[in-house]
Amino acid sequence: MPWTKEERRASTSKGHHEIWINQIRDHVGELRLREFRTVDASRMLRAIAKENDLTKTTLQHIKSVLSTIFTYAKNEGAFDGVNPVDGVLIPRHAKEPGETHAYDLGQVLQILDRLPLLEKSLVATAALAGLRQGELRGSIGLTTRIPNW
């Protein structure tokens, strides 16, 4: 989806690309854009959920990418109907997202004291700006995965 590089933030573009490659592409098959219906999107999301142990949040992201594809197609004149992804339900039995944890300032400062300069700058930027990994990668132009410290 090269147009997302021009139209979206780097982290959004990279996320959309990864979802397309890892989740959606193999499920599209021979369906043509103009033939794609809500039932196709629903079946696709259920199949993806069944094949992978994904959270409702991840499935919502997949649904969002599918919807974005149709929004873009409408804007380019390649699709004239109602967005078939609207109204697609997230599978009810998908797992709930796990607990998240945020470090307090004291913990962040202790971590920063132990890191070399580059890692310190990455962790400080992420912690103090509240950035997710994809946003951090996009903001500093990293193309490699940031390790989970």
Side-chain angles (χ1 to χ4, degrees):
M1 301 186 318
W3 65 272
T4 61
K5 289 183 179 179
E6 299 170 9
E7 301 293 327
R8 301 287 183 253
R9 293 185 326 234
S11 60
T12 302
S13 176
K14 183 167 176 37
H16 282 192
H17 178 74
E18 288 176 4
I19 287 172
W20 170 258
I21 296 297
N22 297 327
Q23 304 297 339
I24 298 172
R25 182 177 58 180
D26 292 340
H27 290 275
V28 173
E30 299 297 320
L31 281 173
R32 295 179 188 265
L33 197 65
R34 67 179 177 269
E35 297 168 351
F36 197 87
R37 301 178 314 151
T38 301
V39 67
D40 298 314
S42 180
R43 287 177 182 156
M44 181 185 298
L45 210 56
R46 285 195 310 263
I48 291 169
K50 189 175 182 178
E51 293 168 10
N52 306 281
D53 190 26
L54 303 176
T55 66
K56 290 181 179 180
T57 304
T58 301
L59 292 168
Q60 183 62 49
H61 289 159
I62 294 168
K63 178 183 171 185
S64 176
V65 171
L66 276 172
S67 181
T68 299
I69 291 167
F70 282 95
T71 299
Y72 176 73
K74 287 177 77 163
N75 279 275
E76 293 298 309
F79 183 78
D80 290 320
V82 174
N83 189 328
V85 184
D86 290 348
V88 171
L89 301 173
I90 301 300
R92 186 176 65 157
H93 298 295
K95 71 179 186 179
E96 294 293 331
E99 280 285 317
T100 58
H101 172 74
Y103 293 102
D104 65 37
L105 183 57
Q107 292 170 314
V108 170
L109 294 174
Q110 286 179 353
I111 293 168
L112 293 176
D113 283 342
R114 293 174 171 83
L115 294 175
L117 186 59
L118 176 60
E119 289 82 355
K120 186 180 292 194
S121 65
L122 289 171
V123 171
T125 302
L128 301 175
L131 300 178
R132 297 182 303 246
Q133 285 189 15
E135 293 168 325
L136 185 60
R137 272 193 307 272
S139 70
I140 60 175
L142 278 179
T143 56
T144 58
R145 180 162 162 57
I146 297 172
N148 292 324
W149 287 306

